[in-house]
Amino acid sequence: MTWLTRWWHRDRLDRQLDAELRFHIDEEAARLRVEGEPPDDAYRLALAHFGGIEPIKEAARDVRGMRWAEDLAHDLQYSVRSMRRHPAFALAAVLSLAIGIGANTAMFGVVNALLIQPLPVPFPEELSYVTRTGPAADGRRTAQITRFSHAAFLRYQAALQVANTSLAAMTTVTRMQLSVAGATGDDGAELVMAQLVSGEWFTVTSVAPQRGRVLSSADDESVIGQPVAVLSDGYWARRFARDPSIVGATLRLNGQPVTVVGVAAPRFEGFVVGDPVDVWAPTGLQHQVHYTSNADVFNGDPSKPWGPQAGIAWLTLIARVHPPATRLGAAAVVDTAFRRDVEAVAADTRNPQQRAYLLRTHATLADGSRGLSDIREQFGRAVLVLMAAVALVLVVACANLANVLMARSATRSREFAVRLSLGAGRGRLVRQLLTESLLLAALGGMASLTFARAGSDALLRLASEGPAPLPLDVSLSWPLVAFAIAMSIGTGLLFGLLPALRFSRSDMHDAIKAGGRTTSLSGRLPGGRVLVVAQVALSFALLAGAMVFVRTLHNLLTIDPGFRAAHLVTAKFDPRMAGYTPATMAGLRERLLDGARAIPGAHSAAVAMCGTMANCHAISDIDIPGRQAGVGDDNDVQEDYVTGGYFSALGMELVAGRNFSEADTERTTRVAIVNEAMARHFFPDVNAVGKHFTERDPFEIVGVVRDSRINGLRETPPRMAFYPYSQHPEMPIRNVYVRVDGDIAPAVQNLRGVIRSADRGIAVREVVTLAELEERSIARERLVSTLTGAFGLLAVAVACLGLYAMVSYSVARRTNEIGIRLALGASVGNVRWLVLRETIVLVGVGIATGLCATIPALQFVGALLYGLSPRDPITLVSTTATLCAVAVVAGAGPAWRASRLDPALALRIE
C-alpha cells in the first residue's frame, strides 16, 4: 500500500488492528483460564503480557510512516479547540496578521510590477537598450539613455548584423489624437498613447499579433502610399469592444489616415513600463503625425522630416542579443560605431573642454529585460523604502503577538509540565505550539489577499500624478499568492518559535509547584524583555523615518514657488494634432485669448508653449559674446514662448527691465526676458538687461523675472529664457492660463468651452487648476510621508500596547512580591517607581538600539529628503521624546494599580 492509501484507509486499518489485537488477547486469556487463573486475572495478565493495546497501536502507526500526518491532524484539532476557547484573542491575532501580511503583499505587488517583473515577451533576458556612459562631475562614470538619429540607427543596425544581434528603434510614448476616418465634429476623437517604432521593432521584441499582422520593415518605406498602424490589445478592447473588423479599418492619427493592420498580443503594452501604448505606427510617419517630442537638435531643422537629418537625435534603440552571453561583444560593436560618430562631432567642436568631454563618452548595452520606465526612476527607491517600512510594522506586530503568546503560554505552564511528565517529548510540545501559531498565520494569510488587492489599487492612486491611478498591473497573480504564503509561514514561525522554545524547556517540578506563577519579569520571561526592546527599536526607526519624510513634505509645501497657483486655471492641448500648421497657429492663439479674457470673473489670461508645471522641457544651447563655452550643460537654457500677459497671470514678479509689448514684432530686434538664475549664471557681476545672447538668432535681454520652480516644487529653478509669441507667431500652443476672481469651478468648465468654441476638432488633454498641478509635482513625497507616517504611528501604538501588556503581566505575576514590599513598609512612590523603572529601562535600551540602526538606514533615503539631512537632530530628539512619553503612558497604569494593592489581600492570593 502506498502512503496515500494507508492514510486514506487509516480508520479501517485501525479497526482491523484492534480486532486482531483483541483476538490474540482473548486467546491468551482463554489459555490462562484453562491453566486455572480466575477470569478477571486471566484477562489482566493477558493484557500485561502483550503490554497493552494502545502502545501496540501506536507502534503499528509508526511503522506505517503516517504518524506525522496523524499527529498534525490532532494538533490542528487541538489548535482549533484552543481558538474556540479564546475567540477574542484568535480574532484579534488573525485580523492583525491579515492587515500586516496584506499590506506587505500589496506593497510587493507594486514592487514586482515596477522593479522585478520582466516584460511579457519571449526570452526577455535577451533584450537590451543602447545607453551612453560618460564622466560625471564627481569623476565617476554615469550611464543614461541616449537618443540617436535615424541615420545612426541604420549604421548601428548594419554593424550589429555580424554580432548575431538585431536592432530596432522607437520614440518615446506620446499623446496623439485619434479618430475614426470620415467622422466629423464630436465623433469620439480622443487622445491616445502612441509610439513610433521601426519596422523591426515587433521582431526584436518578439511580440506576435493576435489579429492581422504587426509592422514590418516595408511599412517604414511605404508611409507615403499606405500608412499603417497596430493597436494594443487593451485599446482594442476598450475602444472597439474587440471588434474583429477593426483590422483593415482606417483611423486618423493626428489627422493622418492610417490603416489598422493588426492587434498586438494580449498583456503586452509596450517597452516602457507605466506608459501603456494604444497605437504603434512606423517611424517614417514622424512628419505626417507631427511628432516633435524628446529630440536633441544639433544641426537640423525640426520643421522638416527628421528621418533624413543626422543632426536630430530622437530615437531610442533596443536590441535582442542571441544569446545574452554575447552582449559584451555586441556592446563593443555598438561602441565602435558610436565612437566614429563622436570623433566626427569632436573634430568640429571648437571648445577644447567640450571636445575632451565628448571623447571620453562611450556606448554600451544595458539590460532591457524589465523594459524602461520613468515611473521606476521616480518611485523605485520610494517603494523600496515603503516596502521596508511595512515589513518592519509586521515585525513589530509579530513581536507583540509573540509577547502575548508568551504571556498566555505562561498561564499554561502547568499544562505543559503535565504533558511532559506523561511522556510527551519537547519536540512534540514545540510542534504543538508552532501548529497553533502557523494556523493563526495561515488564517491571516488567506484573509490578507482581500486587503492586498485593495491596498495595491490604493497605492497606485496615491502615487498617481493625475486623476487615474498609475498604469501598473497589480492584479492577483501567482507571484503575489506565493509571496503571501511565504509571508504567512514566516510570520507564523517568527511569532511562534520563541514562545514554543521557551516553554518547551520549562522545569516540570517548578511549574507544577508554582502553578505558572513567576516572581519577576526578568526571572521568568527574559524573552519578553528582548521582544519589547526589539519593538521599541523598530518603532524608533519607523517613527524617525516618518518624521523626516513628513518634514520633507512640509518643507516642499511651505517653499515659495515663485508664482501664485491660487485661482489659476490652465488647459493642456496640442493643436498640431488637429492639423494646425505654423501658418494657422497665430489665428488660433488670438481666438483662445479673446475667449479666455471673456470668461466671467477672468482677471488675466495668457498662452504659453510649455508653461508651468506642465512636464515640458525645451532646452537649447546659447552663446554669449565674449564668454568661452563650458562643458556639458553649462550653456543649456530652458526656453518658453509666451504672450505678454503670462507673467501677470502667473504672478511672476518682474525684478528688472520691462515686459513684452506690442512694439515687439517680427520686424524688430529679437527680445527675451530671462530669470534670475540665467542672469546670475551668464552675467554674474553686471545687470543682464541690455545684454545679448545667441540661440539661432541674436536676442536682447529686455527684462529679468524672479526665479520660479516651473518644473516642480522639488526642482531647482532652471535657467530660463522667455520669448514673445508676437515675434514667433509660428510656435505651437500647448497651454492656456486664466486667473479668475472668486469661485474657480465655473472657470474650469468655461475654459474647456472656450477651446471647443475656437475649434471643436482639438482634443483637450485636461483642464485643471495650477494648484492641483503643484500638488502632483510632489506626489512621491506625499505618498512616502503619508504611508510612513501611518506606519510609524501604527508601530508606536503596537509597541505601546506590547509594553503595557508586558508590564501589566509582570505586575499581575508579582502580586505576592509587591504585597510583601508594601507589608514591610515600602511607600506608594517606591512601588510606582519600581514598575516605571523597569519600563523606562526597557524603552531606553530600545531607543539606544534603534538609534544605532536608524542613522545608517536614513543615509539610504537621503535622496528622497528635501531641506534636511538624514542625521537631522530635531528628528532624532523628537523621536526619542515621543517614545519616552509612550513609556511613561504605558507604565503609568500598571504602576498606579500596583501601588493600590492591599498587602493583606495580596499575601492571601496563592
Side-chain angles (χ1 to χ4, degrees), residues 651-672:
M652 299 170 64
E653 180 185 355
L654 196 69
V655 297
R658 66 171 177 87
N659 201 343
F660 299 132
S661 68
E662 296 180 356
D664 299 319
T665 65
E666 294 181 79
R667 299 181 179 181
T668 61
T669 302
R670 293 284 194 264
V671 297

Side-chain angles (χ1 to χ4, degrees), residues 384-596:
L384 289 178
V385 170
L386 293 176
M387 186 74 188
V390 74
L392 289 180
V393 171
L394 183 60
V395 172
V396 172
C398 287
N400 193 54
L401 196 53
N403 250 337
V404 175
L405 285 177
M406 290 184 71
R408 291 185 66 244
S409 299
T411 63
R412 299 170 61 188
S413 58
R414 181 179 293 233
E415 171 200 338
F416 298 152
V418 171
R419 295 179 69 177
L420 288 171
S421 65
L422 291 177
R426 297 188 186 277
R428 184 72 176 81
L429 201 59
V430 169
R431 187 169 61 187
Q432 171 63 55
L433 293 173
L434 282 180
T435 301
E436 296 179 14
S437 303
L438 289 171
L439 180 59
L440 289 172
L443 294 175
M446 287 187 289
S448 71
L449 295 177
T450 303
F451 293 98
R453 180 56 192 271
S456 293
D457 292 340
L459 283 171
L460 296 183
R461 285 193 296 271
L462 278 174
S464 175
E465 295 184 359
L470 288 180
L472 295 176
D473 182 13
V474 292
S475 58
L476 196 62
S477 59
W478 282 114
L480 263 67
V481 174
F483 180 83
I485 293 173
M487 288 294 295
S488 301
I489 296 174
T491 52
L493 294 175
L494 186 62
F495 71 78
L497 191 59
L498 182 59
L501 294 176
R502 171 69 182 83
F503 288 100
S504 68
R505 292 194 295 265
S506 60
D507 186 88
M508 292 184 292
H509 179 268
D510 290 344
I512 294 176
K513 177 181 177 181
R517 185 177 68 251
T518 185
T519 58
S520 70
L521 181 64
S522 59
R524 298 297 293 170
L525 289 176
R529 297 169 66 92
V530 173
L531 289 174
V532 169
V533 169
Q535 283 181 285
V536 174
L538 294 175
S539 299
F540 184 94
L542 284 169
L543 189 58
M547 284 189 175
V548 296
F549 289 125
V550 169
R551 293 191 62 202
T552 289
L553 181 62
H554 176 266
N555 291 341
L556 290 171
L557 290 176
T558 55
I559 198 171
D560 182 6
F563 54 83
R564 292 185 290 113
H567 297 281
L568 190 64
V569 183
T570 178
K572 298 181 180 181
F573 54 93
D574 192 342
R576 292 172 299 181
M577 298 180 185
Y580 277 83
T581 64
T584 59
M585 201 69 70
L588 174 64
R589 184 173 63 250
E590 294 304 320
R591 293 196 301 274
L592 290 173
L593 280 175
D594 292 341

Side-chain angles (χ1 to χ4, degrees), residues 192-217:
V192 298
M193 302 302 292
Q195 186 177 37
L196 306 183
V197 297
S198 64
E200 307 84 3
W201 190 81
F202 283 96
T203 302
V204 169
T205 56
S206 298
V207 176
Q210 62 171 311
R211 290 274 178 180
R213 67 174 179 87
V214 292
L215 300 180
S216 65
S217 300

